[in-house]
Amino acid sequence: MLTVVAEICIKPGRRAAVLEAIERLIPLVLQEEGCGSYQALIDHKAQVPWKQHSPDSIFMVEHWESLRHLEQHQQADHMETHRAIIKDDVVDVKIFVLEPA
């Protein structure tokens, strides 16, 4: 099982709109073959000196059975549509594909 962590960097003030688009996308992704989980997370407001602050980011945490499944996910029609919907609100996307150590 692969774990994907994607940081979607959003233009200031547009996080709620992108989160709404992601909420509409989640049920479609969860139906994809090989998808174990697909969850959006946002920055927890905490005033501690060791914490990174990312108020304009959305973090996707995903679990996929294989790289093949992840690649199919990236090419799915609903993902193409989703990327087109949010493209004007997104500044950058950083994707990490991780495996157990």
Side-chain angles (χ1 to χ4, degrees), residues 27-44:
L28 299 172
V29 175
L30 290 174
Q31 293 176 24
E32 291 181 40
E33 179 183 347
C35 181
S37 67
Y38 194 77
Q39 181 180 23
L41 302 169
I42 60 171
D43 191 46
H44 176 71

Side-chain angles (χ1 to χ4, degrees), residues 3-7 59-60 62 70 93-98:
T3 299
V4 174
V5 176
E7 180 181 6
F59 297 86
M60 298 303 300
E62 314 168 19
L70 176 57
V93 178
K94 301 169 191 165
I95 299 175
F96 301 90
V97 180
L98 310 168

Side-chain angles (χ1 to χ4, degrees), residues 43-63:
D43 191 46
H44 176 71
K45 294 178 185 173
Q47 298 301 318
V48 291
W50 42 264
K51 181 190 165 306
Q52 292 290 319
H53 297 281
S54 301
D56 294 316
S57 289
I58 298 167
F59 297 86
M60 298 303 300
V61 178
E62 314 168 19
H63 291 97

